[in-house]
Amino acid sequence: MSALTLRLPDDKHQRLRALAKSRGTTVNRLMDEMTTLMLAEFDAETHFRLRAARGAESTERGLALLDKAAQI
């Protein structure tokens, strides 16, 4: 396991602490959950883009759908 130092403004740190407390967890666990969600989103987008690149004519349509979904 690795350690990561994160510099945040004090007010943002206090808000994260309040959020973690309201969820009954620690800031560390909250950050772990958020990074898991972000990585899953990145993996899904990467997978989609790879599949879209394999399609000949449907690439543009697939990327347009991805852009549309990102705007929601």
Side-chain angles (χ1 to χ4, degrees):
M1 185 171 293
S2 298
L4 174 69
T5 300
L6 179 64
R7 289 183 179 85
L8 295 172
D10 290 338
D11 61 322
K12 191 176 286 186
H13 179 240
Q14 292 303 321
R15 291 178 66 204
L16 277 173
R17 288 178 62 185
L19 175 60
K21 185 176 181 179
S22 74
R23 293 183 176 201
T25 190
T26 64
V27 172
N28 186 67
R29 182 69 185 142
L30 185 68
M31 295 301 291
D32 182 48
E33 291 172 4
M34 288 190 308
T35 56
T36 297
L37 290 173
M38 291 180 77
L39 288 170
E41 181 180 311
F42 174 74
D43 291 343
E45 181 178 347
T46 301
H47 178 73
F48 183 86
R49 287 188 183 276
L50 287 172
R51 289 185 56 111
R54 287 188 210 137
E57 296 125 23
S58 54
T59 299
E60 291 302 320
R61 182 173 178 263
L63 292 176
L65 288 172
L66 179 63
D67 289 339
K68 183 179 178 181
Q71 293 175 1
I72 296 175

